[in-house]
Amino acid sequence: MPQDVRAGGERVTARRRALTVTLTLELVLVALGCGLAWQSETGGGRRPTTATNLVDMNLVPPGPAAPGAATGTYTWDCGRNENGHRNTANIVMAPGFPGQPHHVHDYVGNLSTAVGSTPQTLAAAPSTCRNGDLSTYFWPVLRTTGHTGHDGPIQVPVEVTLTFSGNPRGTVVPMPQQLAGTVGDAVAITNGGRNVAATWTCSSTAERRTTEYPRCPAGDRVQRVYDFPSCWDGLRTDSESHRAHLVFPSPDGSCPRNTFPVPRLRLTLGYDIPPAAAFRIDAFDGQRNSPLTDHAFFVNLMPEPLMATVVDCLNSGRTCQD
């Protein structure tokens, strides 16, 4: 074969090889781009999680230490909803309107919280809290199930812990009556995940947190942890977004300008769930029962003398329990 013909054939073969490599790279980049776009549309870059995608908590790194100096804490007992107070109402987000039947809330505290609740009816009702706190605290129920849909037995928490803590940057002021607090987002998947806040862990790895469902070892309790915002604008008890009036502090504990630190509420729920059991929260259609959509609410109805006791405990650095 003449040399110039052989060289021409080698050049064609090289061009074909280069074209093949280019096309392969383009396909890889397109696939990556589609994957990133899908993740962005379904949770702010987070992978949507189902009840079958459990996270081994031993692989989750510990969270950062609490900032600043030690502050006081106040813990009290409101039961764990042994009485089965549940409904689909949400007096913070949609007062006066019944919720969707597949999105049920658990309650502790005020025993009258329902669709038709008003400040007057709540103030006149009994409470499960032993210290006289008339506030209402609620979150979506947790179900164990191996099926799709909204079925499965509701799991009653074996423990519910309510703790107020102070602010490491200064003293806190009392919460006003009727102050509403929101943590997490029931529609985080369609909202892009920007308000995801509720976390999960196991009782033996409390320093490790995840926004996915945890796989806990035998003998451990599955825990849901809600750290509520604690910087109040000093004016409103609620706002159009149900968030703007009460916002989160910065990582060092400081509050944004023109806001004031109030007692910071942590609500912790514990469940006895076997390691092999599938579980998920009640969620709205389109949210895939994702743990990213976990959320909770409170409406403060603590009698003012009790709130004064809480504030004094926190600002004096004591550990108090009622």
Side-chain angles (χ1 to χ4, degrees):
M1 180 183 294
Q3 185 174 359
D4 58 341
V5 173
R6 185 168 58 250
E10 289 173 353
R11 285 194 296 271
V12 170
T13 300
R15 283 197 297 270
R16 286 175 178 172
R17 287 174 179 169
L19 180 60
T20 300
V21 171
T22 300
L23 288 174
T24 301
L25 287 173
E26 287 178 350
L27 288 172
V28 170
L29 290 173
V30 168
L32 286 173
C34 290
L36 290 173
W38 177 79
Q39 286 183 354
S40 177
E41 290 173 1
T42 55
R46 302 170 188 263
R47 174 173 56 85
T49 310
T50 64
T52 58
N53 289 327
L54 301 178
V55 172
D56 184 345
M57 292 306 297
N58 290 320
L59 302 179
V60 177
T71 63
T73 60
Y74 177 94
T75 303
W76 70 112
D77 183 6
C78 292
R80 52 186 182 87
N81 199 19
E82 305 97 314
N83 56 321
H85 180 192
R86 300 185 185 96
N87 57 49
T88 61
N90 189 324
I91 66 169
V92 174
M93 300 295 287
F97 293 92
Q100 297 181 21
H102 52 263
H103 188 72
V104 179
H105 288 125
D106 260 329
Y107 293 87
V108 295
N110 198 292
L111 282 165
S112 72
T113 313
V115 172
S117 291
T118 66
Q120 292 73 29
T121 61
L122 292 168
S127 172
T128 64
C129 300
R130 297 182 180 179
N131 63 353
D133 179 14
L134 298 179
S135 305
T136 182
Y137 308 91
F138 57 103
W139 58 88
V141 299
L142 185 70
R143 299 179 187 267
T144 52
T145 178
H147 307 285
T148 59
H150 302 285
D151 59 345
I154 291 174
Q155 301 300 297
V156 179
V158 294
E159 60 180 355
V160 174
T161 304
L162 297 99
T163 303
F164 275 136
S165 59
N167 185 286
R169 305 283 293 184
T171 58
V172 299
V173 300
M175 285 184 178
Q177 287 277 305
Q178 302 293 331
L179 181 68
T182 302
V183 61
D185 186 359
V187 288
I189 296 300
T190 51
N191 274 351
R194 59 185 174 274
N195 290 317
V196 171
T199 56
W200 301 72
T201 188
C202 304
S203 54
S204 66
T205 58
E207 76 285 358
R208 302 172 187 266
R209 303 282 190 84
T210 179
T211 53
E212 301 189 40
Y213 292 122
R215 184 185 297 280
C216 297
D220 257 23
R221 287 176 174 168
V222 172
Q223 292 186 330
R224 300 162 76 179
V225 184
Y226 306 101
D227 284 316
F228 282 85
S230 57
C231 296
W232 175 46
D233 68 5
L235 300 172
R236 300 171 291 179
T237 57
D238 202 355
S239 53
E240 185 176 358
S241 66
H242 309 291
R243 301 177 190 275
H245 65 292
L246 187 66
V247 299
F248 288 98
S250 64
D252 69 356
S254 58
C255 284
R257 186 178 180 182
N258 296 325
T259 65
F260 308 90
V262 294
R264 182 164 191 174
L265 175 64
R266 170 174 290 181
L267 178 60
T268 306
L269 316 176
Y271 299 85
D272 281 338
I273 297 178
F279 59 90
R280 60 173 178 248
I281 60 173
D282 264 11
F284 292 121
D285 286 336
Q287 305 304 312
R288 296 189 292 279
N289 296 100
S290 170
L292 299 177
T293 66
D294 201 7
H295 56 282
F297 301 91
F298 75 81
V299 176
N300 175 55
L301 293 164
M302 268 196 174
E304 290 182 358
L306 179 57
M307 178 58 68
T309 298
V310 170
V311 168
D312 181 66
C313 173
L314 303 183
N315 288 338
S316 62
R318 290 180 287 132
T319 299
C320 306
Q321 185 165 357
D322 270 339

